[in-house]
Amino acid sequence: QERLRVLSGIQPTSGSFHLGNYLGAVRQWVDLQETNDAFYMVVDLHAITVAQDPAQLRENTRISVAQLLGAGLDPERCTLFVQSHVPEHAQLAWVMNCLTGFGEAARMTQFKDKSAKQGTDSTTVGLFTYPVLMVADVLLYQADAVPVGEDQRQHLELTRDLAERFNSRYQPTFTLPKPYIPKATAKIMDLQDPTAKMSKSAASPKGLISLLDDPKLSAKKFKSAVTDTDTVVSYDEEKKAGVSNLLRIHSALSGQSIEQLVAHFEGKMYGALKTELAELYAEWVVPFQQRTQAYLDDPAELDRVLALGAEKAREVASVTLATVFDRVGF
Ligand code: ADP
Ligand code: NA
């Protein structure tokens, strides 16, 4: 198997990650670190595209790193760092901003969605150029593959377009990255509204499984998950979105296939699925929380990990930036 340079990032804005973040992203990161040259970052520069309380942001960034370590990222096997510790991200982003058409940036659908929700007066220029910062994040490390959700595909196309534009305007400089959308990745839906994806901006907190919550509270949320008036445990994303979501979560945590689970729950009611799922989740989350807490209780160790990560990241990032600045004429 080919060893790829992989890069991905996660925002620190919510403090606690949710189950969708873990099953949809972080768990794949843990697998990918084994056979690839993986760079993972907590993207605090991206976080300030909307207003943040400084003390809260600082705290949430550390909690995010501790959770990534608790989930199994190993600073010896991957490069784990905080984006703002590597100033080259902002520096390369400026150069890439100057290669991006205004109309090109204005076509980014995620910006259109988010700014429509916020209104033009509270939308920052930072949010507008967010995709360009993402471009810089990826190109700085000459990443071959970027594990992203479907929602980030357009940003990755922008990355390839801008990489090609730079390469042809100046000289070949950047690797063109490919999206890596793992096929086994579960899309986790809101427990109260299984037609919407689980998100930190959930309409009802009952729909959201936050990894740092008391597992007893999460068990209650699993048990009150919205299902349907049928009673048979079977998989049908359209007609039985709630039950199908619970089956997907079970499958992701237990490693059993959906078919095996449907057979296992034959003749049983939804309550049995919910109870088993709550237990399965607790078995995973309790040790996860203990590992995370151990890092939070040892700030010196967390600082050591972050200093090491920033040093490893800058070794690569500074070389790319120096080449770029030279080619641009600085
Ligand atoms: P949110 O959607 O809660 O704002 P982020 O946008 O910070 O979460 O997502 C961080 C990572 O988690 C991304 O890689 C994203 O694809 C993944 N992710 C987020 N929500 C889900 C979900 N409900 N199911 C699967 N993956 C998800
Ligand atoms: Na999102």
Side-chain angles (χ1 to χ4, degrees):
Q1 197 189 335
E2 198 188 354
R3 195 174 162 84
L4 298 177
R5 173 69 59 81
V6 169
L7 175 120
S8 207
I10 192 161
Q11 288 213 42
T13 36
S14 49
S16 178
F17 294 150
H18 60 71
L19 190 54
N21 295 144
Y22 176 66
L23 294 178
V26 175
R27 200 169 70 155
Q28 281 68 40
W29 294 11
V30 176
D31 291 341
L32 287 169
Q33 73 180 340
E34 299 302 334
T35 47
N36 298 284
D37 183 17
F39 285 70
Y40 300 124
M41 58 184 175
V42 173
V43 293
D44 53 352
L45 296 182
H46 285 279
I48 65 162
T49 55
V50 294
Q52 302 292 332
D53 173 73
Q56 196 69 60
L57 176 61
R58 192 172 288 119
E59 174 75 4
N60 285 344
T61 299
R62 294 181 73 86
I63 292 173
S64 298
V65 174
Q67 288 174 95
L68 292 174
L69 294 164
L73 288 189
D74 177 351
E76 308 298 325
R77 286 193 172 80
C78 69
T79 300
L80 173 62
F81 63 102
V82 172
Q83 189 184 27
S84 66
H85 296 180
V86 181
E88 287 84 356
H89 287 262
Q91 293 175 290
L92 181 60
W94 179 252
V95 175
M96 300 320 284
N97 269 323
C98 297
L99 280 184
T100 308
F102 183 83
E104 189 175 33
R107 282 194 293 276
M108 296 294 121
T109 56
Q110 200 177 72
F111 171 76
K112 286 197 274 189
D113 293 346
K114 287 189 181 174
S115 60
K117 277 182 204 146
Q118 294 174 1
T120 37
D121 283 339
S122 39
T123 297
T124 64
V125 174
L127 187 70
F128 184 67
T129 67
Y130 182 121
V132 184
L133 178 57
M134 218 181 111
V135 168
D137 295 339
V138 173
L139 298 183
L140 258 187
Y141 298 95
Q142 307 283 5
D144 304 299
V146 185
V148 286
E150 207 41 71
D151 54 339
Q152 297 296 325
R153 200 184 269 280
Q154 195 187 27
H155 294 164
L156 208 66
E157 277 162 20
L158 180 69
T159 308
R160 293 172 58 88
D161 288 346
L162 291 178
E164 275 187 310
R165 196 170 304 160
F166 188 98
N167 288 351
S168 67
R169 185 170 302 181
Y170 301 99
Q171 290 173 53
T173 304
F174 292 123
T175 304
L176 264 54
K178 290 192 179 61
Y180 171 84
I181 301 176
K183 48 186 177 314
T185 299
K187 186 172 175 191
I188 307 303
M189 311 307 277
D190 187 289
L191 296 185
Q192 289 298 312
D193 174 10
T195 63
K197 73 168 203 162
M198 186 178 284
S199 167
K200 57 183 170 256
S201 45
S204 157
K206 285 173 70 189
L208 178 71
I209 298 293
S210 286
L211 302 185
L212 297 181
D213 276 352
D214 184 341
K216 289 200 194 85
L217 174 64
S218 299
K220 278 196 195 124
K221 291 183 182 179
F222 281 121
K223 285 175 190 171
S224 59
V226 165
T227 48
D228 53 66
T229 53
D230 188 24
T231 52
V232 181
V233 176
S234 63
Y235 196 85
D236 184 333
E237 283 181 27
E238 299 235 315
K239 296 201 186 87
K240 296 168 76 76
V243 170
S244 301
N245 186 39
L246 297 179
L247 283 169
R248 272 200 308 280
I249 298 172
H250 190 310
S251 171
L253 290 171
S254 67
Q256 296 185 67
S257 68
I258 300 287
E259 297 74 51
Q260 285 173 318
L261 291 176
V262 167
H264 170 70
F265 286 107
E266 201 187 318
K268 293 181 190 152
M269 310 280 268
Y270 293 162
L273 168 61
K274 291 175 173 181
T275 303
E276 201 174 296
L277 182 53
E279 284 165 9
L280 198 57
Y281 174 72
E283 274 169 34
W284 172 75
V285 87
V286 170
F288 161 80
Q289 289 184 354
Q290 286 166 350
R291 291 189 298 266
T292 300
Q293 192 56 48
Y295 281 102
L296 292 173
D297 290 342
D298 190 351
E301 172 60 7
L302 205 56
D303 287 341
R304 186 193 68 81
V305 166
L306 289 178
L308 172 75
E311 191 189 317
K312 282 163 67 182
R314 289 199 75 185
E315 269 170 32
V316 179
S318 63
V319 172
T320 307
L321 188 76
T323 308
V324 167
F325 273 16
D326 181 60
R327 293 195 171 158
V328 165
F330 294 165

